Amino acid sequence: NWSNNREFIIARATLDAITSFLNGKVFFQIDEIKQFKMHEKGIVLISVNLIDSQGKENLIGSALIKENINNAIVNAILKAVNRRISFK
């Protein structure tokens, strides 16, 4: 059901795109997605596990919910994985 799983589907698609871009050298597991308010602003917080040949590492990213939740989820994931993946 799209409305019940929207956050997970958007997060999974984003992480799959990153994995594909990196030719399968890393994989990601969604740990948790939370939405909350801070000073009347919507925030999304995402915890993902990066899995590679060196093991598993938990990464956290957050983003303001400005235009819509979908964009915020993508931005939070990109912030979580930023500087943790290398290109060869």
Side-chain angles (χ1 to χ4, degrees), residues 1-15:
N1 185 334
W2 169 253
S3 61
N4 293 338
N5 296 311
R6 176 183 59 186
E7 296 169 357
F8 178 82
I9 292 167
I10 297 297
R12 183 75 261 153
T14 304
L15 293 170

Side-chain angles (χ1 to χ4, degrees), residues 15-27 86-88:
L15 293 170
D16 287 348
I18 296 168
T19 296
S20 177
F21 180 76
L22 297 172
N23 297 315
K25 293 180 182 174
V26 298
F27 296 94
S86 61
F87 300 97
K88 300 260 181 203

Side-chain angles (χ1 to χ4, degrees), residues 39-50:
H39 300 289
E40 303 301 318
K41 295 178 180 157
I43 308 262
V44 64
L45 181 67
I46 297 183
S47 171
V48 298
N49 294 312
L50 179 146

Side-chain angles (χ1 to χ4, degrees), residues 5-87:
N5 296 311
R6 176 183 59 186
E7 296 169 357
F8 178 82
I9 292 167
I10 297 297
R12 183 75 261 153
T14 304
L15 293 170
D16 287 348
I18 296 168
T19 296
S20 177
F21 180 76
L22 297 172
N23 297 315
K25 293 180 182 174
V26 298
F27 296 94
F28 298 95
Q29 177 184 48
I30 300 168
D31 190 31
E32 193 166 2
I33 303 171
K34 292 283 187 183
Q35 287 186 53
F36 59 96
K37 292 250 184 209
M38 181 181 283
H39 300 289
E40 303 301 318
K41 295 178 180 157
I43 308 262
V44 64
L45 181 67
I46 297 183
S47 171
V48 298
N49 294 312
L50 179 146
I51 303 163
D52 64 9
S53 61
Q54 297 178 351
K56 182 168 95 170
E57 179 181 1
N58 186 254
L59 307 171
I60 304 291
S62 63
L64 285 172
I65 302 170
K66 293 179 182 177
E67 297 167 11
N68 63 57
I69 185 66
N70 299 345
N71 290 346
I73 290 168
V74 172
N75 287 333
I77 288 172
L78 293 175
K79 289 177 182 179
V81 303
N82 187 30
R83 296 187 192 95
R84 298 305 302 150
I85 52 179
S86 61
F87 300 97

